[in-house]
Amino acid sequence: MDKYILVAQRLEEIRSELEKLGLWNVERPDDEAFTSDIPFNMNTMEFHEWLRFVMIETFNTVLENRAPLPQNVKIFPYATEVYRNRIGEYKGLLKAIYNFDLVFEQR
C-alpha cells in the first residue's frame, strides 16, 4: 500500500479518537503557543492540542504536497506518559498513535 495513503488513514484514526474523546473541536491556541522549541510544545499547549494543530496539520500539508515523509516518528512513548493515569479512557487514542508510529518503522 502507498505509504502516503497509510499515513492519511492513520491520521484519520487519530482524529476520530480525538473526536470521540471530545478533544477535536477545541479552540486553536494563540500563535505564541506555536513558537515553542520544546518537543510536543509541552510548555505551551496540551498534548491533544499539539496532535490536532501541529502534528496532524503538518502531516496533512506533507501529504497534500507529496513531500518526503520523515524516516522515524516516535509519538507513542510520550503519549503513554501523558495519559499514564488514564490509560483505560485513552486506550483508543493510544492505539491509533501506536499504529501511526508503526507506519514509519516499515521499510
Side-chain angles (χ1 to χ4, degrees):
M1 175 179 284
D2 181 287
K3 198 166 193 174
Y4 288 87
I5 292 171
L6 194 53
V7 169
Q9 290 172 343
R10 296 299 181 253
L11 287 173
E12 178 57 26
E13 290 170 7
I14 292 171
R15 185 207 59 77
S16 177
E17 290 300 325
L18 287 170
E19 197 168 71
K20 287 177 192 174
L21 291 164
L23 299 174
W24 182 255
N25 293 324
V26 294
E27 189 173 318
R28 187 178 195 279
D30 294 334
D31 289 342
E32 191 174 297
F34 293 86
T35 62
S36 175
D37 59 354
I38 304 231
F40 306 104
N41 296 65
M42 67 174 77
N43 63 331
T44 60
M45 60 180 72
E46 298 293 323
F47 182 62
H48 65 273
E49 293 172 323
W50 179 84
L51 286 169
R52 164 76 171 89
F53 296 106
V54 178
M55 199 260 312
I56 291 175
E57 287 187 12
T58 299
F59 271 98
N60 281 336
T61 300
V62 166
L63 295 175
E64 287 170 13
N65 295 309
R66 298 284 291 186
L69 292 167
Q71 295 294 317
N72 196 9
V73 174
K74 296 281 188 214
I75 299 167
F76 182 72
Y78 183 63
T80 58
E81 179 62 23
V82 169
Y83 300 124
R84 72 182 175 275
N85 295 325
R86 299 170 83 179
I87 296 288
E89 181 181 354
Y90 287 86
K91 185 169 89 173
L93 178 60
L94 289 167
K95 181 179 179 186
I97 292 169
Y98 177 79
N99 289 335
F100 181 79
D101 282 3
L102 281 180
V103 171
F104 298 92
E105 291 182 9
Q106 299 170 0
R107 301 279 178 225

